[in-house]
């Protein structure tokens, strides 16, 4: 959750009521505080909604052109990793100075488990709720109980992204949480402290290196399979070299690269000097349009595969869009797109992005997975039902957000679990001097 674009207010949540002036007191330096950036949080919905559409788009239309345009979830998901890194850097590193806020990462094990427990309760609850459905489908496809138990273990332990054959088990989109968990493990000791030490020049070089490393892997995959989407990711679902493709789009290491790119981007803005702030700013709208226009390449002769579009165009441009909007939000007169993403409506929609990401998969299976839909409705729901499916996703996500994600008892329980796990794993991410 980060900053209001319309009228950024400098409010330090740690600040206490100031005591009455005392001439005996020695003036202390005022700590730089961070304004909220709600516009960045509002961008989550611009990513999650087309991903939700993409996963079940083939049940909304038979138009091949529309399907080519709509089924690019593997491109868009890169933006989620970038935003995750961006928020992590903004909330844990120093504003206007090098380094991390030491108290935020003083206990790296607790830092890690708190982040995991921010999303694990909903993942666990949804997995447990829909487990009978997932298991019933597995048995219908003749899966052994041993295989079902293994997949259940991978799902509840969030390890599925490491297994290319099992990455999309049960609730398919939750491979994202598996990759994110690995990235979070590296944050408090390996990534955030090191990136936060870099000056702007070092950050620019690191961003280029990360982009190059990510691209190298995408080119490696493309050389093995195909460079063009019509061959690599056709709308009929027949993917060439599916295991190599899964290693390309799901492997946690490549997610870490994109999350680190988000950290680098946030740090670049946080190190802006007063002179930097006076420089003319680019309207973020053009970068936003350019990022999403890259999806249109699939309709042209330059129909590069999702991996290439994601690594070369979408992620770098979307990252630049975030930094441009961040700077614009801090200006006296933010542009229209910054005000739009920072408005109350988009902030609300951004807040349901995570619940929507979790619930749309099982909900879609109920209506569209052949084995389940045939049992419940006689057949998968028709194209005309798709808008109602999207409306259900929105409504249920809102209810889940209000009554589960925001539930104080759930939050308190998750906090206690994080504390307990941090105690059990003390020394895992730092040398405590204990045997």
């Amino acid at each position: 959750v980060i900053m209001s674009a319309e009228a950024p207010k400098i409010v330090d949540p740690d600040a206490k009521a100031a005591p009455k002036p005392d001439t005996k007191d020695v003036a202390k330096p005022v700590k730089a505080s961070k304004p909220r950036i709600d516009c960045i949080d509002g961008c989550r919905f611009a990513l999650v909604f087309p991903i939700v559409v993409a996963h079940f788009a083939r049940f909304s239309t038979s138009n091949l052109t529309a399907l080519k345009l709509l089924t690019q979830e593997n491109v868009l998901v890169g933006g989620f990793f970038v935003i995750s890194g961006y928020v992590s850097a903004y909330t844990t590193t120093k504003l206007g100075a090098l380094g991390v806020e030491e108290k935020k990462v003083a206990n790296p094990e607790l830092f890690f488990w708190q982040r995991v427990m921010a999303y694990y309760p909903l993942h666990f609850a949804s997995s447990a709720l829909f487990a009978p459905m997932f298991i019933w489908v597995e048995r219908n496809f003749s899966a052994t109980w041993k295989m079902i138990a293994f997949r259940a273990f991978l799902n509840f332990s969030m390890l599925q992204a490491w297994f290319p054959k099992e990455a999309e088990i049960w609730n398919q989109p939750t491979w994202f949480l598996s990759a994110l968990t690995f990235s979070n493990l590296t944050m408090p000791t390996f990534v955030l402290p090191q990136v936060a030490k870099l000056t702007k020049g070092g950050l620019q070089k690191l961003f280029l290196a990360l982009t190059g490393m990510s691209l190298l892997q995408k080119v490696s995959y493309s050389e093995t399979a195909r460079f063009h989407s019509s061959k690599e990711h056709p709308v009929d679902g027949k993917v060439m070299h599916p295991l190599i493709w899964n290693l390309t789009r799901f492997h946690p290491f490549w997610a870490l690269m994109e999350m680190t790119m988000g950290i680098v981007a946030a740090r670049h803005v946080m190190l802006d000097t007063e002179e930097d702030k006076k420089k003319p700013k680019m309207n973020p709208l053009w970068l936003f349009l350019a990022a999403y226009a890259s999806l249109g390449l699939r309709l042209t002769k330059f129909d590069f595969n999702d991996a290439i579009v994601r690594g070369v165009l979408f992620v770098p441009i979307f990252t630049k869009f975030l930094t441009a909007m961040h700077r614009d939000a801090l200006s006296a007169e933010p542009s229209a797109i910054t005000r739009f993403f920072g408005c109350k409506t988009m902030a609300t929609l951004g807040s349901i992005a995570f619940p929507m990401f979790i619930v749309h998969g099982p909900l879609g299976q109920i209506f569209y997975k052949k084995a389940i839909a045939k049992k419940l409705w006689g057949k998968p729901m028709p194209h005309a039902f798709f808008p109602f499916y999207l409306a259900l996703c929105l409504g249920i996500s809102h209810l889940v957000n209000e009554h589960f994600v925001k539930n104080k008892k759930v939050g308190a329980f998750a906090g206690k679990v994080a504390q307990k796990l941090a105690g059990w794993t003390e020394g895992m991410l730092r040398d405590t001097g204990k045997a």
Side-chain angles (χ1 to χ4, degrees):
V1 180
I2 29 187
M3 113 180 145
S4 173
E6 298 197 26
K9 298 179 181 179
I10 308 237
V11 179
D12 187 348
D14 297 325
K16 298 179 180 179
K20 294 181 179 180
D22 188 341
T23 54
K24 295 180 181 180
D25 291 340
V26 178
K28 296 181 180 180
V30 179
K31 173 187 172 183
S33 57
K34 301 169 185 174
R36 289 177 56 84
I37 318 174
D38 291 326
C39 57
I40 301 261
D41 211 39
C43 290
R44 296 180 191 272
F45 189 75
L47 292 168
V48 76
F49 189 75
I51 289 175
V52 170
V53 171
H55 282 147
F56 295 96
R58 67 184 183 278
F59 298 103
S60 68
T61 180
S62 299
N63 185 292
L64 291 180
T65 300
L67 287 174
K68 286 181 179 180
L69 192 61
L70 293 174
T71 54
Q72 298 188 64
E73 66 275 17
N74 294 303
V75 176
L76 293 161
V77 74
F80 269 123
F81 288 116
V82 172
I83 286 183
S84 296
Y86 205 101
V87 174
S88 187
Y90 190 74
T91 56
T92 59
T93 63
K94 295 178 181 178
L95 181 63
L98 302 181
V100 294
E101 295 183 18
E102 296 297 336
K103 68 177 183 179
K104 297 285 182 69
V105 296
N107 186 334
E109 293 84 12
L110 181 60
F111 177 99
F112 166 65
W113 288 116
Q114 283 178 334
R115 273 149 183 75
V116 171
M117 291 308 298
Y119 50 79
Y120 189 76
L122 181 55
H123 171 62
F124 180 87
S126 63
S127 295
L129 178 64
F130 290 102
M133 180 181 76
F134 298 142
I135 294 171
W136 181 82
V137 171
E138 296 255 27
R139 291 297 292 169
N140 267 264
F141 284 92
S142 303
T144 64
W145 285 109
K146 183 178 180 180
M147 176 57 71
I148 291 172
F150 176 61
R151 289 174 174 171
F153 167 74
L154 292 180
N155 174 78
F156 284 103
S157 62
M158 297 189 298
L159 293 173
Q160 63 267 45
W162 294 95
F163 295 80
K165 286 177 62 178
E166 314 296 344
E168 292 188 287
I169 55 171
W170 289 23
N171 187 2
Q172 290 91 335
T174 56
W175 71 265
F176 173 86
L177 300 182
S178 177
L180 181 65
T181 299
F182 167 71
S183 296
N184 280 330
L185 181 67
T186 69
M187 289 296 123
T189 52
F190 302 115
V191 178
L192 284 168
Q194 303 306 318
V195 176
K197 292 177 182 178
L198 299 177
T199 61
K200 282 198 168 189
L203 291 169
Q204 290 171 340
K205 293 174 182 177
L206 177 58
F207 189 86
L208 289 174
L210 291 169
T211 302
M213 189 180 302
S214 176
L215 177 59
L216 180 63
Q217 184 257 347
K218 271 73 173 178
V219 172
S220 173
Y221 160 74
S222 301
E223 190 273 335
T224 302
R226 293 290 186 273
F227 276 90
H228 297 280
S229 65
S230 58
K231 302 289 186 182
E232 174 271 335
H233 188 56
V235 293
D236 62 7
K238 295 179 180 178
V239 180
M240 296 190 68
H241 305 289
L243 295 185
I244 301 176
W245 173 230
N246 284 352
L247 282 172
T248 299
R249 60 180 176 153
F250 294 146
H251 200 281
F253 182 77
W254 306 117
L256 175 60
M257 295 294 101
E258 291 175 336
M259 192 166 173
T260 306
M261 290 168 74
I263 293 170
V264 170
R267 289 298 302 160
H268 200 272
V269 178
M270 294 174 74
L271 291 179
D272 278 356
T273 63
E274 291 302 318
E275 290 73 20
D276 292 327
K277 295 175 183 177
K278 294 176 183 178
K279 294 177 181 178
K281 296 175 178 59
M282 182 179 187
N283 190 328
L285 174 64
W286 308 119
L287 291 166
F288 178 80
L289 293 177
Y292 279 79
S294 67
L295 305 180
L297 289 177
R298 194 183 272 190
L299 303 181
T300 72
K301 64 179 181 180
F302 302 104
D303 62 333
F304 295 107
N305 64 48
D306 289 355
I308 294 292
V309 172
R310 175 172 165 176
V312 177
L313 295 171
F314 186 81
V315 166
I317 298 174
F318 186 80
T319 305
K320 184 66 176 176
F321 159 68
L322 292 179
T323 60
M325 188 166 62
H326 187 165
R327 290 185 170 106
D328 187 47
L330 297 174
S331 66
E333 297 182 0
S335 62
I337 190 171
T338 303
R339 296 196 305 272
F340 169 73
F341 279 116
C343 72
K344 186 176 180 180
T345 299
M346 288 307 298
T348 300
L349 291 174
S351 70
I352 69 170
F354 170 59
M356 196 170 183
F357 193 82
I358 297 296
V359 305
H360 84 273
L363 194 61
Q365 290 187 44
I366 290 173
F367 296 117
Y368 298 117
K369 195 173 186 69
K370 189 174 181 180
I372 299 171
K374 188 175 180 180
K375 187 76 173 178
L376 294 176
W377 325 109
K379 62 180 179 179
M381 301 302 275
H383 292 168
F385 180 77
F386 197 71
F388 296 98
Y389 160 68
L390 295 178
L392 280 172
C393 286
L394 284 167
I396 293 174
S397 298
H398 172 71
L399 293 174
V400 169
N401 189 53
E402 292 297 318
H403 300 291
F404 187 89
V405 176
K406 292 183 178 180
N407 188 284
K408 292 182 179 180
K409 291 182 179 179
V410 173
F413 177 75
K416 290 179 181 178
V417 173
Q419 290 278 358
K420 181 68 70 174
L421 291 171
W424 289 345
T425 57
E426 183 180 2
M428 177 178 70
L429 298 175
R430 55 177 169 160
D431 183 10
T432 59
K434 298 179 182 179

